[in-house]
Amino acid sequence: MIENKYTSWLEELFQKGENPYLQNHEALIYLKNIQSWYNAAIKAGVGASGVGTVAAPPMALIGGLFSLTVLELSLRVDRLVSVIEELLKINEITVTPSVRTGEGIIDLFVMMPDRRCFALALKSNKNSRVKWREDQQEFFTITPRKNKAARVKKWSDLIKTGQDLNIRTLSLKQEKSYLLKGSKNIITKAIILTSKTQVDSSNDPALFVDFGQTTALRVHAGSYIYVLEQAKILNFLAPVKKS
């Protein structure tokens, strides 16, 4: 319940006024303000009773916070800030964070200058490599360990992220969101791995496809979803070079 409450608080920041969402630099500035608050809260060791020890964020928080919730939401904001900063290197791009649909939230909706559209989910899993097992329809993480064999674990949350992204993107189109600006183009769906999380190079070579000006892992999770590291995002969004 606590997590849902403060996740909703974050989402509400992007639904105000005639233009329902903050976008581009305006959204980035707002998110950085929230990021600063979370960083101060974590540094101060804010717990259920410690919220008063640091300055409040732009919207007042109601009730207490648990440190775990602060850490979880801080990571979410960190991912948004980092990726938006990268995306804004593209001239005339439109970046909209936390887009609400009837089926849930899309982390980032991007419209390129040529009106190509992208729905992005941002995920990380510490210092790990991500592998897709077609035979099991499942993602796994491979985490190196000092003087030990690497740890291999299912990452079922990532396949759910892909499935949810597909459902939410369909909902956005059905709702004819103004964010689409009347575009009937296909919305490309991608999971962006942030921080130290990477796509494992030992994935089936057939899963790596050319897209934009780079390559990405393409898996079928209800529909085709691309998976790539944040370092590749600008080349992924770039139009294909004409020969």
Side-chain angles (χ1 to χ4, degrees):
M1 293 297 294
I2 294 290
E3 182 177 354
N4 289 340
K5 180 192 300 184
Y6 294 107
T7 299
S8 297
W9 164 74
L10 177 61
E11 291 158 2
E12 288 169 4
L13 301 179
F14 303 96
Q15 311 213 19
K16 50 168 78 172
E18 294 181 2
N19 184 347
Y21 297 100
L22 298 179
Q23 296 175 318
N24 290 12
H25 290 285
E26 188 179 11
L28 181 60
I29 290 169
Y30 213 122
L31 278 166
K32 282 190 170 182
N33 286 338
I34 300 170
Q35 185 182 47
S36 295
W37 187 88
Y38 280 137
N39 289 342
I42 292 167
K43 186 176 181 180
V46 168
S49 60
V51 71
T53 63
V54 292
M59 289 184 69
L61 292 176
I62 301 172
L65 288 174
F66 292 99
S67 295
L68 181 59
T69 301
V70 173
L71 288 170
E72 288 171 345
L73 294 181
S74 174
L75 288 172
R76 179 180 174 187
V77 174
D78 287 346
R79 286 195 290 261
L80 284 169
V81 167
S82 178
V83 174
I84 292 172
E85 284 181 327
E86 194 73 14
L87 292 174
L88 291 180
K89 294 175 182 177
I90 301 173
N91 291 330
E92 299 182 20
I93 194 173
T94 303
V95 182
T96 310
S98 295
V99 173
R100 185 183 294 275
T101 75
E103 298 293 338
I105 299 297
I106 297 172
D107 288 341
L108 286 172
F109 181 79
V110 173
M111 180 171 278
M112 295 293 285
D114 58 7
R115 296 175 67 81
R116 287 178 299 122
C117 299
F118 296 81
L120 308 178
L122 314 183
K123 299 293 289 185
S124 62
N125 196 320
K126 301 179 181 178
N127 181 26
S128 64
R129 306 188 309 276
V130 176
K131 188 166 186 175
W132 170 253
R133 288 286 302 270
E134 187 73 28
D135 57 336
Q136 298 186 39
Q137 288 290 291
E138 186 67 87
F139 283 106
F140 289 82
T141 58
I142 303 169
T143 306
R145 295 189 293 175
K146 190 174 181 179
N147 300 324
K148 293 182 180 180
R151 178 186 289 114
V152 179
K153 275 184 80 173
K154 279 186 180 181
W155 193 10
S156 299
D157 183 52
L158 198 62
I159 187 67
K160 186 176 187 308
T161 294
Q163 292 166 345
D164 287 346
L165 184 61
N166 181 45
I167 292 169
R168 293 165 188 179
T169 301
L170 288 173
S171 179
L172 188 74
K173 293 181 72 172
Q174 290 167 356
E175 293 160 14
K176 297 180 179 179
S177 169
Y178 90 97
L179 293 172
L180 300 175
K181 298 180 182 177
S183 172
K184 295 183 180 179
N185 291 342
I186 293 171
I187 301 175
T188 301
K189 301 172 290 293
I191 297 173
I192 308 301
L193 303 175
T194 66
S195 189
K196 296 181 179 180
T197 310
Q198 298 181 323
V199 174
D200 190 81
S201 60
S202 69
N203 274 283
D204 181 349
L207 295 175
F208 288 100
V209 298
D210 293 330
F211 194 98
Q213 297 177 21
T214 188
T215 58
L217 195 71
R218 188 175 72 161
V219 303
H220 196 275
S223 71
Y224 281 110
I225 303 286
Y226 296 90
V227 183
L228 62 145
E229 298 97 344
Q230 181 179 337
K232 287 188 171 184
I233 193 169
L234 296 187
N235 287 333
F236 180 76
L237 296 178
V240 176
K241 288 183 178 179
K242 296 180 180 179
S243 56

